[in-house]
Amino acid sequence: MKAMGFYKTGGPEVLQAVDVPDPMPGSSEITIRVDYTSINNLDVLMRSGGTKINFNLPHIPGSDISGRIELAGSEVKDFGVGERVVVNPVYGCGNCRQCKTGNEVICREWKVPGMHIWGSYGEVVKIPAATVIRPPKAFSPEELGCMPLCLSVSWRALHTVANAKEGEAVAIRGASGNAGIFAVLLAKAMGLKVIALTRSPQKKEKLLKIGADHVIDSEDEGRAASKEVLELTGGEGVDIVVDPLGSTLDDSIAMLKPKGRVVVFGTTAGTESTISIKNFYWKSASIFGVHNANKKELAEALEFAERKGIKPIIASKMKIKEAEQAHRLFSQSSQFGKILMKHEW
Ligand SMILES: [Zn+2]
């Protein structure tokens, strides 16, 4: 099969067309002929060598997978060849207590396509059948290529972990990023008061348009956004902070109300943070970590998105053979929404 992969880590230029043998499914696996994928931060981390995990070369990135089943192993009963499916971007061993209770995201052996195994920059992906779902009819194959990873993580953060309730206030950091946009769309549809934080003033109007009630457009890791959030909320703060930036944790705690919760699901601004313990425990605050979502949560999130009319924002449509240019565009951070790539050679 053809794929866009790399033999060494580095800049976007290391991405090149590679020809590798078609993957063959094991008895409980399927292969999927990929129609669409989209760029996530993880793809860039893998390409640049920033993940600190071991993987074989050539590597094929890509964690968002929209396509049809091409081959199914002998034990696969629930899905048939030719069916359109969408893949949850994490799966577990399938045998441990966590996997058996639908909590594969904290299986000790969790794996992500495009990270631990070859991903959707290849024409065909091999994956355990247990990791796919039938998508709701409301979404096109293109849209599904943009949704799984960022939608499901934002859903897990707001719904499962923070247990967001209608009427609560949420501050969304990195709101103009891939996951941030989904978090804004979901939070608004959940009936939350949404304060979007971004460091891109040119994206303010777009964030207001998709549902943010307020936008603070001067977010910077070195600057206290909490001061502005507290001013905006009459000194009260917010119930929830969604934080994909990581190193901003102390400032995120500072913008919380008493009993507030911070959900960290990324380290795009840095992996270290020193926090004021006093600030944290005097507020009876909670800090949660989220790195991916369970298949059940992807299904819930897609169903919620269908019911509420939420669609992904697609900023650019490119071909998979243009992956190098697509990664360059992604690194400029000038786009608002996902960069979709079609499997066209
Ligand atoms: Zn497991």
Side-chain angles (χ1 to χ4, degrees), residues 171-204:
I172 297 169
R173 310 200 74 137
S176 56
N178 272 338
I181 290 173
F182 277 114
V184 171
L185 292 166
L186 288 173
K188 187 66 185 175
M190 289 173 176
L192 306 185
K193 179 184 170 191
V194 180
I195 301 175
L197 282 70
T198 175
R199 68 176 103 167
S200 308
Q202 72 277 16
K203 296 179 182 171
K204 180 173 182 172

Side-chain angles (χ1 to χ4, degrees), residues 92-100 104 106-110:
C93 70
N95 297 314
C96 73
R97 188 164 58 87
Q98 302 300 351
C99 285
K100 286 188 168 163
E104 65 270 18
I106 49 171
C107 169
R108 284 188 180 191
E109 295 174 33
W110 65 271

Side-chain angles (χ1 to χ4, degrees), residues 3-298:
M4 291 303 289
F6 53 85
Y7 284 91
K8 59 174 184 185
T9 56
E13 67 282 354
V14 300
L15 283 165
Q16 58 175 276
V18 297
D19 227 321
V20 293
D22 273 19
M24 297 301 289
S27 59
S28 61
E29 294 176 323
I30 53 171
T31 56
I32 297 171
R33 172 82 37 187
V34 182
D35 296 323
Y36 295 95
T37 186
S38 63
I39 303 184
N40 290 296
N41 268 325
L42 178 59
D43 310 3
V44 175
L45 272 177
M46 292 302 297
R47 190 212 71 217
S48 61
T51 56
K52 311 283 183 245
I53 67 157
N54 293 321
F55 55 91
N56 297 324
L57 295 171
H59 183 69
I60 301 170
S63 305
D64 277 336
I65 303 168
S66 165
R68 288 181 185 274
I69 297 179
E70 182 155 275
L71 295 171
S74 57
E75 291 169 25
V76 178
K77 305 289 178 220
D78 297 339
F79 294 92
V81 168
E83 265 197 90
R84 180 160 294 286
V85 289
V86 65
V87 178
N88 191 45
V90 66
Y91 63 92
C93 70
N95 297 314
C96 73
R97 188 164 58 87
Q98 302 300 351
C99 285
K100 286 188 168 163
T101 53
N103 226 352
E104 65 270 18
V105 75
I106 49 171
C107 169
R108 284 188 180 191
E109 295 174 33
W110 65 271
K111 289 187 173 58
V112 170
M115 190 178 182
H116 304 87
I117 61 165
W118 283 351
S120 53
Y121 289 21
E123 287 181 297
V124 180
V125 173
K126 182 177 78 165
I127 199 93
T131 197
V132 304
I133 59 172
R134 289 184 182 89
K137 298 232 177 333
F139 303 111
S140 68
E142 278 192 357
E143 288 166 344
L144 291 168
C146 295
M147 298 178 84
L149 196 146
C150 289
L151 173 74
S152 62
V153 165
S154 299
W155 174 261
R156 180 172 169 84
L158 284 165
H159 175 75
T160 317
V161 173
N163 192 22
K165 296 273 184 290
E166 190 177 349
E168 287 191 314
V170 60
I172 297 169
R173 310 200 74 137
S176 56
N178 272 338
I181 290 173
F182 277 114
V184 171
L185 292 166
L186 288 173
K188 187 66 185 175
M190 289 173 176
L192 306 185
K193 179 184 170 191
V194 180
I195 301 175
L197 282 70
T198 175
R199 68 176 103 167
S200 308
Q202 72 277 16
K203 296 179 182 171
K204 180 173 182 172
E205 287 308 315
K206 289 179 169 145
L207 284 165
L208 289 169
K209 207 171 159 193
I210 65 166
D213 295 292
H214 300 280
V215 177
I216 293 172
D217 63 7
S218 53
E219 181 180 41
D220 191 295
E221 303 93 78
R223 193 183 147 146
S226 55
K227 220 176 126 206
E228 293 180 65
V229 171
L230 289 169
E231 273 172 23
L232 199 56
T233 54
E236 270 207 344
V238 292
D239 301 280
I240 301 164
V241 181
V242 170
D243 188 347
L245 305 184
S247 60
T248 46
L249 180 57
D250 190 53
D251 191 46
S252 294
I253 295 168
M255 62 177 78
L256 284 180
K257 281 181 189 173
K259 292 195 79 177
R261 46 271 192 223
V262 179
V263 188
V264 178
F265 65 76
T267 52
T268 55
T271 55
E272 307 289 329
S273 177
T274 302
I275 68 164
S276 159
I277 304 288
K278 199 177 84 175
N279 230 352
F280 168 63
Y281 88 96
W282 278 14
K283 283 187 177 180
S284 299
S286 302
I287 304 170
F288 299 96
V290 162
H291 71 81
N292 266 297
N294 296 309
K295 184 175 75 170
K296 175 168 65 91
E297 292 166 312
L298 173 63

